[in-house]
Amino acid sequence: MNILDHANQQREKLVFEHFTELVKAPNGDLARVGQLSDALNDPHSLQMMVEFLLRHPQGQRAFEERPRLGTVNLQQLHQLPPNTLGYLYANHMIKNGLAPLAAREIAEDDYSFLEAHLTETHDIWHIVTDFQTDILGEIQLQAFYVAQIHPIPLFLALIAKNLLKTALENLEFSEPLMEAVTRGWTLGKQAKPLFGIHWNKLWEKPIDELRGELNLNGV
Amino acid sequence: MNILDHANQQREKLVFEHFTELVKAPNGDLARVGQLSDALNDPHSLQMMVEFLLRHPQGQRAFEERPRLGTVNLQQLHQLPPNTLGYLYANHMIKNGLAPLAAREIAEDDYSFLEAHLTETHDIWHIVTDFQTDILGEIQLQAFYVAQIHPIPLFLALIAKNLLKTALENLEFSEPLMEAVTRGWTLGKQAKPLFGIHWNKLWEKPIDELRGELNLNGV
C-alpha cells in the first residue's frame, strides 16, 4: 500500500470513529465535533473550500486581508440599542453563558484563516440567520453552511450525524429535522455570502437592515 | 446489563457496521442496504411506521386488504400505449435489466406486509415521481419516502450515508446532493400518499393523469 492510500484509510477510520461516537453522544459534544472536523479537513478539502470562496470578490478580499474578529467586549456591546447586531450578539453570548473565542495566534496561511474565521463567526451566523442554538437551529445552520460553502465536509457530516441519530433513536424527530435541513439550505442559497464579512464594523447596524442587505429575510 | 439494553447495543453496532460499509462501497450495494434495513427495522420502528400509515384512510385500507402487486408480465405491459403507467414501468424494468420482485410468501402480519409492499412498489414510485435510478434520483426518492412516511429509518440512514460519502470522497457533489434532498422532500410533502395504492389496477392509466391526481406534478 502506498503512503497516500494509507493516509486515506487512516482518515476514513478516524472519521467513522468520531462520527459514530457523535451519533451515540448527547447533542452538543463540541470536543468530538472538533475531532471530526480535524479528521475531515485534509489538505484536499481545505483547498477545495478556499478555491470555492475565492470565486467571489468578498472571499478574495477576505483571503487578502484575513479579517479577525479581535477582542470582543460583550458588556460594551450589550449597551447598544436592542435592535443592533452588537446587542443581539452580546445578549446571545451572555444568555447562553458563552465566551467569545479567544483570538489565538494562527499561522499565516489560508487554511488557518479559513478555520479561525469560520469558528469565531459561528455565533454571529446564528444571530443574522435567526437560527437558534437548540438542535433544530443547529441543523438549519448546518444546511445553511453547505448552501453558502458547498465543499464543507464538516457540515455535511453533521447533517448526516443528525439523520442517523434520528433513525436510531428518535423517529418522531424526522419531520422537523428534514424541514430544518430544507429551510437552512433554501435560506443559505438565497442569502448573499457571509464568509469574509468584517462583522466588527457592523455592531451598531440595526439587524433588520443588515438582514435586508444580506437577503436573509424569511423564505 | 438487561436484555433490552443489550439488544439496543447490538442493533446500534450492526447499524454502524452496515452504515460504514455502505459509505465505503460503490453506490448500489443492495445486499448491504437490505442488511442495514433489517438492522434498523426493530419492532418499535415498524410499529411507528404502521401507526403513522394508519392515520390516513388509504393506509387503513391497505393494512386491511394487504394488496400485493402479484405476478407482473412485463412483455404484456410493454404493449400498452407509451404514455401509460404500465408501459413506462415495463420499459424502465426492461431497460435496466430488472425483474419484478417475485411475490414471495409472507407472514400474515402488518410488518411483513409493510416491508413487502414498500419493496415491490419501489420501482413504481420511481416512475410516478419521475426520479431516475442514478444516484441523484435515488437520493430524491429517499427524501420523498421520508416526506411520505416520516418515521422510516432506512431512508433517513441512506440520506445520511450519501451525505457522509460526499463529505469523504466527493465534495463536488455537495450542491446537487442537497438540491436532490430538498426536491425529494418538497415533492413528497406536496404529493398525496402513495402507500397502499393498488398499482396493478392502474397500468392503463396515462401517466400525466395519474401524476395530476397524486399531486406529483413539478414543484
Side-chain angles (χ1 to χ4, degrees), chain B residues 50-114:
Chain B
V50 171
E51 282 171 12
F52 179 91
L53 291 162
L54 284 173
R55 284 186 221 151
H56 192 278
Q58 182 173 293
Q60 282 173 26
R61 270 198 309 280
F63 283 105
E64 283 160 20
E65 301 171 2
R66 294 187 184 147
R68 297 296 306 271
L69 201 56
T71 309
V72 176
N73 185 329
L74 291 181
Q75 295 308 327
Q76 199 176 327
L77 291 183
H78 209 233
Q79 304 307 313
L80 289 170
N83 66 335
T84 58
L85 172 67
Y87 172 86
L88 288 165
Y89 173 71
N91 196 51
H92 161 83
M93 298 299 277
I94 294 167
K95 199 179 63 188
N96 291 294
L98 300 170
L101 288 157
R104 58 189 164 107
E105 285 302 309
I106 59 162
E108 286 296 317
D109 64 69
D110 288 346
Y111 302 163
S112 300
F113 166 69
L114 172 66

Side-chain angles (χ1 to χ4, degrees), chain A residues 14-15 17-18 29-40:
Chain A
L14 273 175
V15 166
E17 181 189 321
H18 297 309
D29 183 347
L30 293 185
R32 187 66 79 171
V33 171
Q35 290 171 307
L36 178 62
S37 175
D38 289 343
L40 283 163

Side-chain angles (χ1 to χ4, degrees), chain B residues 19-69:
Chain B
F19 181 85
T20 53
E21 289 304 319
L22 271 179
V23 173
K24 289 192 251 180
N27 290 318
D29 183 347
L30 293 186
R32 185 68 77 170
V33 170
Q35 291 171 306
L36 179 62
S37 175
D38 289 342
L40 282 163
N41 286 338
D42 63 352
H44 173 69
S45 310
L46 289 165
Q47 188 55 34
M48 282 198 63
M49 280 188 272
V50 171
E51 282 171 12
F52 179 91
L53 291 162
L54 284 173
R55 284 186 221 151
H56 192 278
Q58 182 173 293
Q60 282 173 26
R61 270 198 309 280
F63 283 105
E64 283 160 20
E65 301 171 2
R66 294 187 184 147
R68 297 296 306 271
L69 201 56

